[in-house]
Amino acid sequence: MTLLLSRADVAGLMRPSDYLEAVEAGFGAAQAGLAEAPAPMALAGVGGVFHAKGAGLRRGRPYVALKLNANFPDNRGGVPTIRGAILLCDGGDGALLAVIDSIEVTLPRTAAATALAARFLARPDSETVLVCGCGAQAAPQLEALAEVLPLRRGFAWDRDFGRAGAFAAARREEGMEMVAAPELEAAAAASDVIVACTTARQAYLGAELVRPGAFVAAVGADSPDKSEIRPELMARARVVVDVLEQCLEMGDLRHAVAAGAMSAGDVHAGLGAIAAGAAPGRTSDDDIFVFDSTGTALQDVASAAAVYERAGRRGGYATFAFGGEG
């Protein structure tokens, strides 16, 4: 019987620390040759796009997952921008183990990769954070970063200043000192950590805005037409990627290479290599690090496997006999 797990089901099963553990295991498995993730596929919709990402992972048992996400940024009236599903299968016999709502996995698994990178690339004493873009990804990013850094205060910046104000107010209610930033320049110059999670088509974060020693998580460029980090900042920083080939196709690295500011050989390392100790993380307080996070299916399959295993231990979830089995 196939488990059917709703967004509420997933939210009740996983915490930010659980996603961090799962994502670290996924990158570690890939580094050890125990996982694979082919290039993702994009299919155009009307006013949006569908992304299909698949990966296989050997984690006790073999798992294979395929995620289909729709991204329609112009949705209004409470209709989500992103929605979709993950199919989790047994990689040994092909059984469909679970159908999982993907929103509740996509947001925290993306944030978990940021936190994993920050563990190795941010200064350990980082206290001030700037969140660029106050949409659905912003809160999970902060929650995940709080697992690994002593963040105390922050700035919220968005092209919609009202949305930045509402986001900052919500964080203050949760006990964090945060204000809406009317100007990007001053907020960036005061921040140890910068999370760029907008849908920008034109890069806005330049080298002159980022102070020495900062850690920048570039999260928004998940398709070839999106860009947040200007090429000169990419060239100045030590760039760490989630998947090199994918970042060359759709990340901020793609735009830096196209501009002639850097080449693939200039990339410092992949996150999996750093997490496994095969490449160095931060060794100087003055280095600027940019984590180019395009989102890999390794994160999806590792997170979906963790969700499935937790659901199996807890029990009581809806099931369906696909294919007439049972």
Side-chain angles (χ1 to χ4, degrees):
M1 298 290 286
T2 303
L3 283 178
L4 304 179
L5 299 173
S6 70
R7 185 173 187 181
D9 292 335
V10 178
L13 287 165
M14 299 283 284
R15 302 179 302 276
S17 59
D18 299 322
Y19 283 102
L20 179 57
E21 180 182 349
V23 166
E24 183 172 14
F27 279 107
Q31 187 69 18
L34 298 175
E36 59 178 338
M41 178 175 64
L43 299 169
V46 179
V49 65
F50 295 85
H51 292 120
K53 295 182 177 182
L57 170 71
R58 291 179 287 285
R59 169 184 158 147
R61 69 189 291 180
Y63 288 104
V64 170
L66 176 64
K67 181 176 77 174
L68 180 65
N69 262 11
N71 189 330
F72 283 69
D74 295 329
N75 283 350
R76 295 293 182 268
V79 178
T81 296
I82 299 174
R83 47 188 168 174
I86 298 173
L87 304 182
L88 180 69
C89 299
D90 188 310
D93 63 13
L96 180 56
L97 302 174
V99 179
I100 305 170
D101 182 284
S102 69
I103 296 178
E104 193 61 38
V105 173
T106 298
L107 294 175
R109 71 71 151 149
T110 303
T114 295
L116 181 62
R119 177 189 289 167
F120 298 101
L121 307 179
R123 295 197 318 272
D125 60 350
S126 295
E127 294 185 338
T128 305
V129 60
L130 164 63
V131 178
C132 300
C134 299
Q137 187 61 242
Q141 290 283 328
L142 278 183
E143 290 173 4
L145 283 168
E147 295 287 325
V148 298
L149 294 175
L151 299 178
R152 296 179 50 225
R153 55 188 173 271
F155 303 95
W157 178 81
D158 194 283
R159 64 182 180 180
D160 181 343
F161 187 70
R163 183 159 69 168
F167 179 79
R171 304 291 80 74
R172 289 196 297 271
E173 289 181 2
E174 296 169 356
M176 184 175 188
E177 180 185 334
M178 178 164 281
V179 298
E183 300 294 336
L184 176 62
E185 291 78 3
S191 297
D192 303 312
V193 174
I194 301 174
V195 179
C197 52
T198 73
T199 58
R201 261 67 181 178
Q202 184 172 352
Y204 56 86
L205 195 63
E208 76 283 0
L209 302 181
V210 180
R211 69 187 191 183
F215 166 69
V216 179
V219 178
D222 59 357
S223 63
D225 61 330
K226 293 182 181 179
S227 180
E228 298 184 287
I229 314 301
R230 290 177 184 160
E232 69 271 15
L233 175 54
M234 295 289 286
R236 177 184 170 190
R238 290 182 179 270
V239 176
V240 173
V241 296
D242 53 5
V243 179
L244 178 59
E245 296 78 7
Q246 191 166 294
C247 290
L248 287 167
E249 291 294 324
M250 65 173 63
D252 280 295
L253 178 62
R254 160 190 164 86
H255 300 282
V257 171
M262 61 184 299
S263 68
D266 295 322
V267 171
H268 175 68
L271 179 57
I274 291 175
R282 176 177 290 276
T283 57
S284 166
D285 284 345
D286 292 331
D287 284 338
I288 295 172
F289 275 91
V290 171
F291 173 49
D292 198 0
S293 174
T294 54
T296 167
L298 289 172
Q299 298 161 249
D300 296 316
V301 67
S303 298
V307 169
Y308 172 75
E309 291 170 1
R310 286 174 175 271
R313 290 192 294 268
R314 183 170 298 183
Y317 296 97
T319 61
F320 187 82
F322 283 97
E325 298 173 3

